[in-house]
Amino acid sequence: MPYVTVKMLEGRTEEQKRALVAEVTEAVSRTVNAPQENITVFIEEMSKNHYGVAGIRMSDK
Amino acid sequence: MPYVTVKMLEGRTEEQKRALVAEVTEAVSRTVNAPQENITVFIEEMSKNHYGVAGIRMSDK
Amino acid sequence: MPYVTVKMLEGRTEEQKRALVAEVTEAVSRTVNAPQENITVFIEEMSKNHYGVAGIRMSDK
Amino acid sequence: MPYVTVKMLEGRTEEQKRALVAEVTEAVSRTVNAPQENITVFIEEMSKNHYGVAGIRMSDK
Amino acid sequence: MPYVTVKMLEGRTEEQKRALVAEVTEAVSRTVNAPQENITVFIEEMSKNHYGVAGIRMSDK
Amino acid sequence: MPYVTVKMLEGRTEEQKRALVAEVTEAVSRTVNAPQENITVFIEEMSKNHYGVAGIRMSDK
């Protein structure tokens, strides 16, 4: 605890994802005062045809 | 806001998904009085071996 | 199937939520060709102190 | 109702997933007194580079 | 890992929820061969006005 | 995009939640190179009787 899910478009590099998990964990640990070993991060990627704002999918723009 | 997630079996066409995002956005906008540009839709697809009702997966029927 | 989750700020009336569930169900049924009786809708409400864009919670604006 | 989501690392066999859906459905049915036909189970798999504990992804260990 | 979420209508007793967490954990552990101490269960309750099937909320039936 | 959900036990102060949203947004922005105004954070709180590890709810310990 806490459990963090980051949902974003696919395409980030492994290096970006590695840094994302590390730095989000630090930010959560620092602000809610939880030990880093108790923090879990999940990354969920979506493709552009499965994500739309204002009724239009990213893949249709 | 609002954020809408539609979880369904894989296999719909791109045309169906495009219409889904457009028409769900309109339905949400109309009923809760939110501007369309504030509405986000996510599609999540599942495969038949990852979805079961009554203890039996779709892929095992 | 499909399963639809609508996440939005609290404060809508029961009449708005009733219409939301009905009209989203119709939109999903029509666009992905699923019978209405197979469609499930979940509403999830969030409070303004649990939702932030650009690093600022709604409750802090 | 109820709806159960099991999120786990990819790599389980079909036989394990089949048993998972069956036995989780039984456990939920028995403990909350819901008929098995009303219970839905979703499996969500994650890859090791999308899952981290203590700031380190499984794929980086 | 795994992480299990059980979403259901509110109204179960504490005794039912306690048994639910225990028995679902056992079922997951047994079927996917994961140690019980690695398994997390979340319960999410919904109210009848936030849950609808076939376009009609439970609270409107 | 991205959308971040932080799920944790209830009980944090408003000051902690405000800092959580701000600092997680910065960490995500920095690591995946997304403008802060595109980042959304949701906080989801759970109670101790709805969260269990190793088959035992926090409220039963």
Side-chain angles (χ1 to χ4, degrees), chain A residues 5-51:
Chain A
T5 302
V6 182
K7 196 178 179 89
M8 60 185 182
L9 283 172
E10 59 195 4
R12 263 65 184 207
T13 65
E14 290 307 304
E15 191 42 62
Q16 286 179 307
K17 292 176 188 174
R18 184 183 300 119
L20 173 70
V21 170
E23 299 200 23
V24 165
T25 299
E26 285 169 27
V28 171
S29 175
R30 196 167 52 232
T31 53
V32 304
N33 204 26
Q36 288 206 31
E37 58 266 34
N38 291 355
I39 299 173
T40 303
V41 179
F42 307 106
I43 297 174
E44 293 183 358
E45 287 188 326
M46 35 187 194
S47 53
K48 287 188 172 180
N49 64 332
H50 287 171
Y51 171 54

Coordinates of all heavy atoms in Angstrom, one line a residue, chain A residues 5-51:
Chain A
T5 N -1.5 3.1 -10.4 CA -1.7 2.7 -11.7 C -1.5 3.9 -12.7 O -2.1 4.9 -12.5 CB -3.1 2.1 -12.0 OG1 -3.2 1.0 -11.1 CG2 -3.2 1.5 -13.4
V6 N -0.6 3.7 -13.6 CA -0.3 4.8 -14.6 C -0.8 4.3 -16.0 O -0.3 3.3 -16.5 CB 1.1 5.2 -14.7 CG1 1.3 6.3 -15.7 CG2 1.7 5.6 -13.3
K7 N -1.8 4.9 -16.5 CA -2.4 4.5 -17.8 C -1.9 5.5 -18.8 O -2.2 6.7 -18.6 CB -3.9 4.6 -17.6 CG -4.7 3.9 -18.7 CD -6.2 4.0 -18.3 CE -7.1 3.3 -19.3 NZ -7.3 1.9 -19.1
M8 N -1.3 5.1 -19.9 CA -0.8 6.0 -20.9 C -0.7 5.4 -22.3 O -0.8 4.1 -22.4 CB 0.5 6.6 -20.5 CG 1.6 5.5 -20.3 SD 3.2 6.3 -19.6 CE 4.2 4.8 -19.6
L9 N -0.6 6.2 -23.3 CA -0.4 5.7 -24.6 C 0.8 4.8 -24.7 O 1.9 5.2 -24.1 CB -0.4 6.8 -25.6 CG -1.8 7.4 -25.9 CD1 -1.6 8.7 -26.8 CD2 -2.7 6.4 -26.7
E10 N 0.8 3.8 -25.5 CA 2.0 3.0 -25.7 C 3.1 3.8 -26.5 O 2.8 4.8 -27.1 CB 1.7 1.7 -26.5 CG 1.0 2.0 -27.9 CD 0.4 0.8 -28.5 OE1 0.3 -0.3 -27.8 OE2 -0.1 0.9 -29.6
G11 N 4.3 3.4 -26.4 CA 5.4 4.1 -27.1 C 6.5 4.6 -26.3 O 7.5 5.0 -26.8
R12 N 6.3 4.6 -24.9 CA 7.5 5.0 -24.1 C 8.6 4.0 -24.2 O 8.3 2.8 -24.3 CB 7.0 5.2 -22.7 CG 6.7 6.6 -22.3 CD 5.5 7.2 -23.1 NE 5.3 8.6 -22.8 CZ 4.1 9.2 -23.0 NH1 3.1 8.5 -23.4 NH2 4.0 10.5 -22.7
T13 N 9.8 4.4 -24.0 CA 11.0 3.5 -24.0 C 11.0 2.8 -22.6 O 10.4 3.2 -21.6 CB 12.3 4.3 -24.1 OG1 12.4 5.2 -23.0 CG2 12.3 5.1 -25.4
E14 N 11.8 1.7 -22.6 CA 12.1 1.0 -21.3 C 12.7 2.0 -20.3 O 12.4 1.9 -19.1 CB 12.9 -0.2 -21.5 CG 12.2 -1.3 -22.3 CD 10.9 -1.7 -21.6 OE1 10.9 -2.0 -20.4 OE2 9.8 -1.7 -22.3
E15 N 13.6 2.8 -20.8 CA 14.3 3.7 -19.8 C 13.3 4.7 -19.2 O 13.3 5.0 -18.0 CB 15.4 4.5 -20.6 CG 16.3 5.3 -19.7 CD 16.7 4.5 -18.4 OE1 17.3 3.4 -18.5 OE2 16.3 5.0 -17.3
Q16 N 12.3 5.2 -20.0 CA 11.3 6.1 -19.5 C 10.4 5.3 -18.4 O 10.1 5.9 -17.4 CB 10.4 6.6 -20.6 CG 11.1 7.7 -21.4 CD 10.2 8.2 -22.6 OE1 9.7 7.4 -23.3 NE2 10.0 9.5 -22.6
K17 N 10.1 4.1 -18.8 CA 9.2 3.4 -17.8 C 10.0 3.0 -16.5 O 9.4 3.1 -15.5 CB 8.7 2.1 -18.5 CG 7.8 2.3 -19.6 CD 7.4 1.0 -20.3 CE 6.6 1.2 -21.6 NZ 6.3 0.0 -22.3
R18 N 11.2 2.7 -16.7 CA 12.0 2.4 -15.5 C 12.1 3.7 -14.6 O 11.8 3.6 -13.3 CB 13.4 2.0 -15.9 CG 14.3 1.6 -14.7 CD 15.8 1.3 -15.1 NE 15.8 0.2 -16.1 CZ 16.2 0.2 -17.3 NH1 16.8 1.3 -17.8 NH2 16.2 -0.8 -18.1
A19 N 12.3 4.8 -15.2 CA 12.4 6.1 -14.4 C 11.0 6.4 -13.8 O 10.9 6.9 -12.7 CB 12.9 7.2 -15.3
L20 N 10.0 6.2 -14.6 CA 8.6 6.5 -14.1 C 8.3 5.7 -12.8 O 7.8 6.3 -11.8 CB 7.6 6.0 -15.2 CG 6.1 6.1 -14.9 CD1 5.7 7.5 -14.7 CD2 5.3 5.4 -15.9
V21 N 8.6 4.4 -12.9 CA 8.3 3.6 -11.7 C 9.1 4.1 -10.5 O 8.6 4.2 -9.4 CB 8.6 2.1 -12.0 CG1 8.5 1.2 -10.7 CG2 7.5 1.6 -13.0
A22 N 10.4 4.4 -10.7 CA 11.3 4.8 -9.6 C 10.8 6.1 -9.0 O 10.7 6.3 -7.8 CB 12.7 4.9 -10.1
E23 N 10.5 7.1 -9.9 CA 10.3 8.4 -9.4 C 8.8 8.6 -8.8 O 8.6 9.4 -7.9 CB 10.6 9.5 -10.5 CG 12.1 9.4 -10.9 CD 12.6 10.6 -11.5 OE1 12.0 11.7 -11.4 OE2 13.6 10.5 -12.3
V24 N 7.9 7.9 -9.4 CA 6.6 7.9 -8.8 C 6.6 7.3 -7.5 O 5.9 7.8 -6.5 CB 5.5 7.2 -9.8 CG1 4.2 7.0 -9.1 CG2 5.3 8.1 -11.0
T25 N 7.3 6.2 -7.3 CA 7.4 5.6 -6.0 C 8.0 6.5 -5.0 O 7.5 6.6 -3.9 CB 8.3 4.3 -6.1 OG1 7.7 3.4 -7.0 CG2 8.4 3.6 -4.8
E26 N 9.0 7.2 -5.4 CA 9.6 8.2 -4.4 C 8.6 9.3 -4.1 O 8.5 9.7 -2.9 CB 10.8 8.9 -5.1 CG 12.1 8.0 -5.1 CD 13.2 8.6 -6.0 OE1 13.2 9.8 -6.1 OE2 14.0 7.8 -6.5
A27 N 7.9 9.8 -5.1 CA 6.9 10.9 -4.8 C 5.8 10.5 -3.9 O 5.4 11.2 -3.0 CB 6.3 11.4 -6.2
V28 N 5.3 9.2 -4.1 CA 4.3 8.7 -3.2 C 4.8 8.5 -1.8 O 4.2 8.9 -0.8 CB 3.7 7.4 -3.8 CG1 2.7 6.8 -2.8 CG2 3.0 7.7 -5.1
S29 N 6.0 7.9 -1.7 CA 6.6 7.6 -0.4 C 6.8 8.9 0.4 O 6.4 9.0 1.6 CB 7.9 7.0 -0.6 OG 8.6 6.8 0.6
R30 N 7.3 9.9 -0.3 CA 7.6 11.2 0.4 C 6.3 11.9 0.9 O 6.3 12.5 2.0 CB 8.3 12.1 -0.6 CG 9.1 13.3 -0.1 CD 10.0 13.8 -1.2 NE 9.3 14.0 -2.5 CZ 9.7 13.6 -3.7 NH1 10.8 12.9 -3.8 NH2 9.0 13.9 -4.8
T31 N 5.3 11.9 0.0 CA 4.1 12.7 0.3 C 3.2 12.1 1.3 O 2.5 12.8 2.0 CB 3.4 13.2 -1.0 OG1 3.1 12.0 -1.7 CG2 4.3 14.1 -1.8
V32 N 3.0 10.8 1.2 CA 2.0 10.2 2.2 C 2.8 9.4 3.2 O 2.1 8.7 4.0 CB 1.0 9.3 1.4 CG1 0.3 10.1 0.4 CG2 1.6 8.0 0.9
N33 N 4.1 9.5 3.3 CA 4.8 8.9 4.4 C 4.7 7.4 4.4 O 4.4 6.8 5.5 CB 4.4 9.5 5.7 CG 5.5 9.4 6.7 OD1 6.6 9.3 6.4 ND2 5.0 9.5 8.0
A34 N 4.9 6.7 3.3 CA 4.8 5.3 3.2 C 6.2 4.8 2.8 O 6.9 5.4 2.0 CB 3.8 4.8 2.2
P35 N 6.7 3.7 3.4 CA 8.0 3.1 3.0 C 7.9 2.7 1.6 O 6.9 2.1 1.1 CB 8.2 1.9 3.9 CG 6.9 1.7 4.7 CD 6.0 2.9 4.5
Q36 N 9.0 2.9 0.8 CA 9.1 2.6 -0.6 C 8.8 1.1 -0.8 O 8.1 0.7 -1.8 CB 10.4 2.9 -1.2 CG 10.6 4.4 -1.4 CD 11.6 4.8 -2.5 OE1 11.7 4.1 -3.5 NE2 12.3 5.9 -2.3
E37 N 9.2 0.2 0.1 CA 9.0 -1.2 -0.2 C 7.5 -1.6 -0.1 O 7.1 -2.7 -0.6 CB 9.8 -2.1 0.8 CG 9.5 -1.8 2.2 CD 10.5 -0.8 2.9 OE1 10.9 0.1 2.1 OE2 10.8 -0.9 4.1
N38 N 6.6 -0.7 0.4 CA 5.2 -1.0 0.4 C 4.5 -0.5 -0.8 O 3.2 -0.7 -0.9 CB 4.6 -0.4 1.7 CG 5.0 -1.1 2.9 OD1 5.7 -2.1 2.9 ND2 4.6 -0.6 4.1
I39 N 5.2 0.1 -1.7 CA 4.5 0.8 -2.8 C 4.6 0.0 -4.1 O 5.7 -0.5 -4.4 CB 5.1 2.2 -3.1 CG1 4.9 3.1 -1.8 CG2 4.5 2.9 -4.3 CD1 5.5 4.4 -1.8
T40 N 3.5 -0.2 -4.8 CA 3.4 -1.0 -6.0 C 3.0 0.0 -7.1 O 2.1 0.8 -7.0 CB 2.4 -2.1 -5.9 OG1 2.7 -2.9 -4.7 CG2 2.3 -3.0 -7.1
V41 N 3.7 -0.2 -8.3 CA 3.3 0.6 -9.5 C 2.9 -0.3 -10.6 O 3.7 -1.3 -10.9 CB 4.4 1.6 -9.9 CG1 4.0 2.4 -11.1 CG2 4.7 2.6 -8.8
F42 N 1.8 -0.1 -11.3 CA 1.4 -0.8 -12.5 C 1.4 0.2 -13.6 O 0.9 1.3 -13.5 CB 0.0 -1.3 -12.3 CG -0.3 -2.2 -11.1 CD1 -1.0 -1.7 -10.0 CD2 0.2 -3.5 -11.0 CE1 -1.3 -2.5 -8.9 CE2 0.0 -4.3 -9.9 CZ -0.8 -3.8 -8.9
I43 N 1.9 -0.2 -14.8 CA 1.8 0.6 -16.0 C 0.8 -0.1 -16.9 O 0.8 -1.3 -17.1 CB 3.1 0.7 -16.7 CG1 4.2 1.4 -15.8 CG2 3.0 1.4 -18.1 CD1 5.6 1.5 -16.4
E44 N -0.2 0.6 -17.4 CA -1.1 0.1 -18.4 C -1.0 0.9 -19.6 O -1.2 2.1 -19.6 CB -2.6 0.2 -17.8 CG -2.8 -0.7 -16.6 CD -4.3 -0.7 -16.1 OE1 -5.1 0.1 -16.7 OE2 -4.6 -1.4 -15.2
E45 N -0.7 0.3 -20.7 CA -0.6 1.0 -22.0 C -1.9 0.8 -22.8 O -2.5 -0.2 -22.8 CB 0.6 0.5 -22.8 CG 1.9 0.9 -22.2 CD 3.1 0.5 -23.1 OE1 3.0 -0.5 -23.8 OE2 4.0 1.3 -23.1
M46 N -2.2 1.9 -23.5 CA -3.4 1.8 -24.4 C -2.9 2.2 -25.8 O -1.9 3.0 -26.0 CB -4.5 2.7 -24.0 CG -4.1 4.0 -23.3 SD -5.5 5.0 -22.6 CE -4.5 6.5 -22.4
S47 N -3.6 1.7 -26.8 CA -3.3 2.0 -28.2 C -4.2 3.2 -28.6 O -5.2 3.5 -28.0 CB -3.5 0.8 -29.1 OG -4.8 0.3 -28.9
K48 N -3.8 3.9 -29.7 CA -4.5 5.1 -30.1 C -5.9 4.9 -30.6 O -6.7 5.8 -30.6 CB -3.7 5.8 -31.2 CG -2.4 6.5 -30.7 CD -1.8 7.3 -31.8 CE -0.6 8.1 -31.2 NZ 0.0 9.0 -32.2
N49 N -6.2 3.6 -30.9 CA -7.6 3.4 -31.4 C -8.5 3.0 -30.2 O -9.7 2.7 -30.4 CB -7.6 2.3 -32.5 CG -7.1 0.9 -32.0 OD1 -6.3 0.9 -31.0 ND2 -7.6 -0.2 -32.5
H50 N -7.9 2.9 -29.0 CA -8.7 2.6 -27.8 C -8.8 3.8 -26.9 O -9.1 3.6 -25.7 CB -8.1 1.4 -27.1 CG -8.4 0.1 -27.9 ND1 -7.8 -1.1 -27.6 CD2 -9.2 -0.2 -29.0 CE1 -8.2 -2.0 -28.4 NE2 -9.0 -1.5 -29.3
Y51 N -8.6 5.0 -27.3 CA -8.6 6.1 -26.4 C -9.1 7.3 -27.2 O -8.6 7.7 -28.3 CB -7.1 6.4 -26.0 CG -6.8 7.6 -25.3 CD1 -7.6 8.0 -24.1 CD2 -5.9 8.5 -25.7 CE1 -7.3 9.2 -23.5 CE2 -5.6 9.7 -25.0 CZ -6.3 10.0 -23.9 OH -6.0 11.2 -23.2

